Amino acid sequence: FDTWILLANPGNEEALLQLEFMPEGGALISRPLNVPANSRRTLHLNDEAPPGNISTRVVSTNGVPVVAERAMYFDYRGKKGGHASAGSTRAWYEWNFAEGYTAGDFDTWLLLANPGDEAAEVRLEFMLEGGGMVTEEVRVPPRSRFTVPVDQIEGLSSAAFSTRAVSTNDVPVVAERAMYFSYRGWDGGSCSRGATTPQREWHFAEGYTGG
């Protein structure tokens, strides 16, 4: 796996950033980084932290707003590909995911980050297609990352499901879902942050069924 943190400063003033890398089960790693005005900066995360699971927090210390994305390129059990995602602008108390699948050659992971100073107690509710729910309780240490391999949870080794993650002790967290798959000869992966609340209306610009 190669992970890159991509930073854009569309403003007319230099941005002074503090980056915090939160390894799973490890010590926080922090480093400053500047992004000149009207400029892009690229940071190879593999050069900043030891191998393993890691979450990232980007803070502008001089108040200049920036845009941050994460790109990953991988060879995961023979599945080769890449994905990119914009970051979340805040930690929150609830995250919702409509997609989740573990049957066949699909692996789904729920990824939790706790950027705060207090441990988060998180209840995971997996809502099965056709009805039923599987729940799991996890604890995310402060300034840390926590990884949930969904197919290892009893009742979810071969399932289609949606997920709700709720902080039961009111410590906000960040949640994403990663999936790696082999599907009809296609190998790849995807990663998406959750929705903090259900809404009455959603729009999708993309969609294609030809070819």
Side-chain angles (χ1 to χ4, degrees), residues 78-143:
K79 305 172 181 68
K80 299 179 180 181
H83 49 66
S85 176
S88 299
T89 56
R90 63 177 181 177
W92 198 240
Y93 308 97
E94 177 180 335
W95 296 88
N96 296 272
F97 302 88
E99 168 67 304
Y101 195 65
T102 55
D105 200 0
F106 280 75
D107 286 324
T108 298
W109 306 78
L110 189 65
L111 319 168
L112 302 168
N114 178 5
D117 296 322
E118 181 183 349
E121 306 293 338
V122 181
R123 184 178 70 249
L124 307 177
E125 300 174 351
F126 300 98
M127 298 166 281
L128 302 176
E129 190 163 24
M133 180 183 293
V134 175
T135 61
E136 186 86 356
E137 305 281 344
V138 300
R139 183 178 187 272
V140 186
R143 294 183 177 267

Side-chain angles (χ1 to χ4, degrees), residues 2 12 32-33 35 41 47 54-55 85 89 99 108 116 121 129 141-142 144 164 171 175 193 197-198 202 205:
D2 277 317
N12 296 319
L33 185 74
V35 184
R41 286 294 301 269
D47 297 332
I54 192 163
S55 296
S85 176
T89 56
E99 168 67 304
T108 298
E121 306 293 338
E129 190 163 24
S144 182
R164 179 174 180 248
V171 175
R193 66 175 184 260
T197 58
W202 295 87

Side-chain angles (χ1 to χ4, degrees), residues 23-173:
E24 189 159 12
L28 179 74
I29 302 167
S30 183
R31 65 154 292 180
L33 185 74
N34 71 307
V35 184
N38 301 302
S39 183
R40 141 96 177 244
R41 286 294 301 269
T42 303
L43 188 73
H44 191 206
L45 187 55
N46 297 55
D47 297 332
E48 304 295 327
N53 300 326
I54 192 163
S55 296
T56 302
R57 180 175 184 237
V58 178
V59 178
S60 174
T61 58
N62 67 337
V64 175
V66 297
V67 180
E69 292 190 50
R70 177 203 60 242
M72 295 182 68
Y73 302 94
F74 55 84
D75 183 346
Y76 171 75
R77 298 179 180 176
K79 305 172 181 68
K80 299 179 180 181
H83 49 66
S85 176
S88 299
T89 56
R90 63 177 181 177
W92 198 240
Y93 308 97
E94 177 180 335
W95 296 88
N96 296 272
F97 302 88
E99 168 67 304
Y101 195 65
T102 55
D105 200 0
F106 280 75
D107 286 324
T108 298
W109 306 78
L110 189 65
L111 319 168
L112 302 168
N114 178 5
D117 296 322
E118 181 183 349
E121 306 293 338
V122 181
R123 184 178 70 249
L124 307 177
E125 300 174 351
F126 300 98
M127 298 166 281
L128 302 176
E129 190 163 24
M133 180 183 293
V134 175
T135 61
E136 186 86 356
E137 305 281 344
V138 300
R139 183 178 187 272
V140 186
R143 294 183 177 267
S144 182
R145 143 87 177 253
F146 191 87
T147 304
V148 180
V150 179
D151 63 350
Q152 295 181 20
I153 298 174
E154 185 176 355
L156 297 173
S157 61
S158 181
F161 55 89
S162 297
T163 305
R164 179 174 180 248
V166 181
S167 172
T168 57
N169 66 337
D170 293 328
V171 175
V173 296

